Amino acid sequence: MSWIISCLFLIIYSGCVKAYFITVDAHAEECFFDKVEAGTKMGLTFEIADGGFLDIDVKIVGPDGKIIYQGEQERSGKFTFAAYTSGVYTYCFSNEKSTLSPKVVMFNMDVGENPKQEEGTDGKGVEGESNNHGKLDDMIKELSTSLWGVKNEQEYMQVRDRTHRAINESTNSRVVIWSFFEALVLLCMTLGQIYYLKRFFEVRRVV
């Protein structure tokens, strides 16, 4: 029964995972923090959903101020690493280079379980059962991480699809506007030529 309960908890937990959407104003920076133990696996996935040229500056800083990752004018990205020391890790999205346009950022911060020190057992009696339960828990956690990754990838692809759709619609609108502009220019040139030819062949009489 315990594994059934664990699986139900896993399904509920995986259904609650959501991507975060934030708006970073022009000349602004938004930072988020995670306190973890050394050896914890961490990951950042982000995508610019709207604003300007769909780019932003990203930076990950360790507890001692060491820059773990830094990128400029990036549209999307995935970065994973293991915490090299215990403390607070900082994720920052900077829009300081933009003069007017705010940026909408979709991101996920994946923080794994704290590393555990394994204790040896003789595989008998209660200790053996505890070891089996521990392996089952580890398998459930691995499955949970995999499901989280799948859901994260789905949300990532949804944002990319929405972004590309917006780009296509914007391009289509510009093509339509440009077509109307060309038609208007041709109409004006046609009317101008008719008027010019009419004046050219006009017979003037002197009384």
Side-chain angles (χ1 to χ4, degrees):
M1 291 296 294
S2 61
W3 67 273
I4 297 177
I5 297 174
S6 300
C7 289
L8 290 175
F9 172 78
L10 171 61
I11 295 172
I12 295 172
Y13 172 77
S14 61
C16 295
V17 178
K18 296 291 183 181
Y20 297 98
F21 285 85
I22 60 170
T23 300
V24 185
D25 295 327
H27 301 293
E29 183 180 54
E30 296 289 342
C31 294
F32 302 86
F33 310 92
D34 273 317
K35 185 176 182 181
V36 299
E37 299 295 329
T40 302
K41 293 182 179 180
M42 307 174 69
L44 173 66
T45 304
F46 66 93
E47 171 85 13
I48 311 305
D50 189 23
F53 294 101
L54 301 178
D55 58 359
I56 203 165
D57 297 339
V58 184
K59 182 169 61 176
I60 302 176
V61 183
D64 55 356
K66 177 182 176 181
I67 297 178
I68 302 173
Y69 174 79
Q70 186 172 13
E72 295 184 356
Q73 297 180 340
E74 296 193 351
R75 294 174 176 243
S76 62
K78 297 179 182 180
F79 184 74
T80 57
F81 63 98
Y84 59 90
T85 185
S86 301
V88 178
Y89 288 77
T90 306
Y91 307 80
C92 290
F93 299 96
S94 175
N95 195 26
E96 295 179 351
K97 294 181 180 178
S98 178
T99 56
L100 296 174
S101 302
K103 307 291 177 65
V104 178
V105 183
M106 184 280 290
F107 71 98
N108 280 317
M109 293 186 295
D110 181 16
V111 180
E113 295 291 333
N114 293 336
K116 298 179 180 180
Q117 297 294 334
E118 296 183 355
E119 296 180 359
T121 61
D122 57 2
K124 298 179 181 180
V126 178
E127 292 184 354
E129 293 179 0
S130 177
N131 189 26
N132 291 333
H133 284 298
K135 290 181 179 180
L136 180 60
D137 290 340
D138 291 339
M139 293 175 63
I140 292 174
K141 289 177 181 178
E142 290 180 2
L143 181 58
S144 175
T145 302
S146 299
L147 289 176
W148 189 94
V150 171
K151 187 174 181 60
N152 183 20
E153 190 68 23
Q154 288 178 341
E155 293 173 345
Y156 178 78
M157 295 305 297
Q158 286 175 359
V159 172
R160 288 187 65 87
D161 178 70
R162 184 163 58 249
T163 301
H164 292 163
R165 188 185 304 115
I167 293 174
N168 291 335
E169 291 176 354
S170 176
T171 302
N172 181 65
S173 299
R174 293 180 182 181
V175 170
V176 172
I177 293 174
W178 180 252
S179 299
F180 276 113
F181 176 74
E182 287 183 333
L184 181 61
V185 171
L186 289 175
L187 179 62
C188 292
M189 291 180 63
T190 302
L191 293 176
Q193 289 177 351
I194 293 174
Y195 177 76
Y196 177 77
L197 291 174
K198 184 178 180 181
R199 292 293 301 266
F200 182 79
F201 290 105
E202 189 177 67
V203 178
R204 297 183 179 180
R205 296 181 178 179
V206 179
V207 179

